[in-house]
Amino acid sequence: MRGKGKLTSSLEDYLEAIWLLSRESKVVRVRDVARRLGVTPASVVNAVKMLVRRGLVEHEPYGYISLTDKGMERATQIYERHTILTRFFRDILGLDSNSAERTACILEHHISEKALARLVKFLEFVEECPDVTPYWLKGLHHYLETGKRSVICPLRVKQR
Amino acid sequence: MRGKGKLTSSLEDYLEAIWLLSRESKVVRVRDVARRLGVTPASVVNAVKMLVRRGLVEHEPYGYISLTDKGMERATQIYERHTILTRFFRDILGLDSNSAERTACILEHHISEKALARLVKFLEFVEECPDVTPYWLKGLHHYLETGKRSVICPLRVKQR
DNA sequence: TAATATAATAAGGTAAGTCTAAAATTGTCA
DNA sequence: TGACAATTTTAGACTTACCTTATTATATTA
């Protein structure tokens, strides 16, 4: 009953799109989803049919699309994966927002829970900014941009 | 002529497997690839046919499979992506080797050149071990393991 | 309210990637 | 050398995920 009921990448994309659209405009139609994902309405109808079968969305013929509680929960999980990956690629690796978004969009379907959890901790560690991290991060970004190591850290000579 | 000629994830997997097997045993047969990838020989035959069409492998009917120069080049590119991802997930995020491998195996097909290039620089930065990184990395791993921040860095009080 | 535009759906097709089952080939060894 | 086993291949089916085209439903507005 509480089994994961795996979704394909494609269905995850549809579910995520429906969720995002419903945050933006209260009412979601086939057409909106099609535009968002760059597919034909026919493809959306098909996908929605499958999501309905799995109890993740509701859809009255020729009417609006909405998420069930289960669908909502699932969509937020997917979106969380998305934002974590975006943050990593943008804030740590310094990719521009678009590239980071696109990368997240693809990888979000394939990364494991285990790996994702590590990434979360990594971000926590970096973003909550303890001792050396600010220096380290600056040094990293300088290196990513210029290919050269900065000499920001005054520790250098002291180390051994 | 020098166009990328994109491969599907699946074909990349086959090509990579053939390459890995040919490093291990000089001669590669349909059967070996099937075992390695956990698919039926019939699937391998199909895939190999497509790789032959693209000029990446050679195959005499009922005989051995080998890589062309082009296929070799391509396979090493794929494997490089693989190792970069493995290193990141294992050495930086501290995943066990198996999980890191599995993660790399999936993501290697989907990560963009741009993102991968950043990851490479990231690894360079960390592994070539400059000023603060050793401290920082120790702190990160401690945090990943225990959830607690260590006070390894003596800088703490000095900073402002 | 009838005509028209827009939206949704159904039907049918293509391509990738797998499978099973059956047929063809090859290699081994008694 | 001939028969059996292992391997490879072919043929055909299924699933996912798209598409196009044609039909049906809804909404707008003259």
Side-chain angles (χ1 to χ4, degrees):
Chain A
M1 190 98 308
R2 209 86 290 282
K4 268 306 182 69
K6 284 230 172 131
L7 295 177
T8 61
S9 306
S10 172
L11 288 182
E12 284 189 350
D13 277 334
Y14 283 105
L15 191 63
E16 192 181 10
I18 292 164
W19 183 73
L20 288 168
L21 287 165
S22 72
R23 319 208 97 204
E24 288 168 17
S25 54
K26 268 302 151 42
V27 143
V28 180
R29 285 158 309 180
V30 166
R31 192 152 190 301
D32 305 322
V33 180
R35 258 212 279 260
R36 181 74 154 230
L37 294 178
V39 298
T40 62
S43 302
V44 177
V45 169
N46 249 295
V48 164
K49 225 178 269 177
M50 290 195 277
L51 292 172
V52 168
R53 255 187 248 136
R54 287 164 207 249
L56 297 170
V57 320
E58 284 166 352
H59 185 214
E60 32 192 344
Y62 293 93
Y64 300 137
I65 301 166
S66 59
L67 293 170
T68 63
D69 288 352
K70 204 171 142 196
M72 194 77 103
E73 196 189 326
R74 197 62 179 275
T76 53
Q77 279 167 13
I78 295 165
Y79 191 65
E80 206 193 309
R81 293 211 297 267
H82 181 102
T83 52
I84 289 161
L85 287 163
T86 302
R87 276 164 57 204
F88 174 73
F89 284 103
R90 188 192 54 211
D91 302 342
I92 307 298
L93 294 194
L95 278 187
D96 61 281
S97 290
N98 281 349
S99 301
E101 273 295 322
R102 253 179 293 123
T103 302
C105 254
I106 298 168
L107 299 192
E108 65 182 358
H109 305 298
H110 302 101
I111 193 160
S112 69
E113 279 309 309
K114 217 167 173 178
L116 196 75
R118 289 290 172 140
L119 219 41
V120 169
K121 287 206 170 185
F122 178 94
L123 289 170
E124 268 170 38
F125 183 79
V126 169
E127 288 173 2
E128 279 168 26
C129 204
D131 314 321
V132 270
T133 294
Y135 284 125
W136 179 85
L137 198 58
K138 258 179 222 152
L140 171 63
H141 287 158
H142 185 256
Y143 183 71
L144 290 175
E145 293 309 319
T146 67
K148 289 175 186 171
R149 301 187 183 282
S150 61
V151 211
I152 285 175
C153 183
L155 255 189
R156 174 161 235 171
V157 277
K158 295 176 136 186
Q159 261 174 228
R160 185 59 32 95
Chain B
M1 190 95 313
R2 207 86 292 282
K4 268 307 181 67
K6 283 229 172 135
L7 295 178
T8 62
S9 306
S10 173
L11 288 183
E12 285 190 349
D13 277 334
Y14 283 105
L15 191 62
E16 192 182 9
I18 291 165
W19 183 72
L20 287 168
L21 287 165
S22 73
R23 315 211 99 203
E24 289 167 16
S25 53
K26 268 303 153 43
V27 144
V28 180
R29 285 157 311 181
V30 167
R31 193 156 187 295
D32 305 322
V33 180
R35 258 213 278 261
R36 180 74 154 231
L37 293 178
V39 298
T40 61
S43 302
V44 176
V45 169
N46 248 295
V48 165
K49 226 179 265 174
M50 291 193 279
L51 291 173
V52 168
R53 256 187 247 133
R54 287 164 206 250
L56 298 169
V57 319
E58 283 166 352
H59 185 213
E60 32 190 344
Y62 293 92
Y64 300 137
I65 302 165
S66 60
L67 294 170
T68 64
D69 287 351
K70 204 171 142 197
M72 195 77 104
E73 196 190 327
R74 197 62 178 275
T76 53
Q77 279 168 13
I78 294 165
Y79 191 67
E80 205 193 309
R81 295 211 295 269
H82 182 103
T83 52
I84 289 160
L85 287 163
T86 302
R87 275 162 59 202
F88 174 73
F89 284 103
R90 188 192 55 212
D91 301 342
I92 308 297
L93 295 193
L95 278 187
D96 61 280
S97 289
N98 280 350
S99 300
E101 273 294 321
R102 254 179 291 122
T103 301
C105 253
I106 298 168
L107 299 193
E108 66 182 358
H109 305 299
H110 302 100
I111 194 160
S112 69
E113 278 308 308
K114 217 168 172 178
L116 196 75
R118 289 290 171 140
L119 219 41
V120 169
K121 287 208 170 184
F122 179 94
L123 289 171
E124 268 171 36
F125 183 78
V126 169
E127 288 174 1
E128 279 169 28
C129 203
D131 314 324
V132 270
T133 294
Y135 284 125
W136 178 85
L137 198 57
K138 260 179 219 151
L140 170 63
H141 286 158
H142 186 256
Y143 182 71
L144 290 175
E145 294 308 320
T146 67
K148 288 172 187 172
R149 299 188 184 283
S150 61
V151 211
I152 284 175
C153 182
L155 257 189
R156 172 160 237 170
V157 278
K158 295 177 137 186
Q159 262 176 227
R160 186 58 30 98

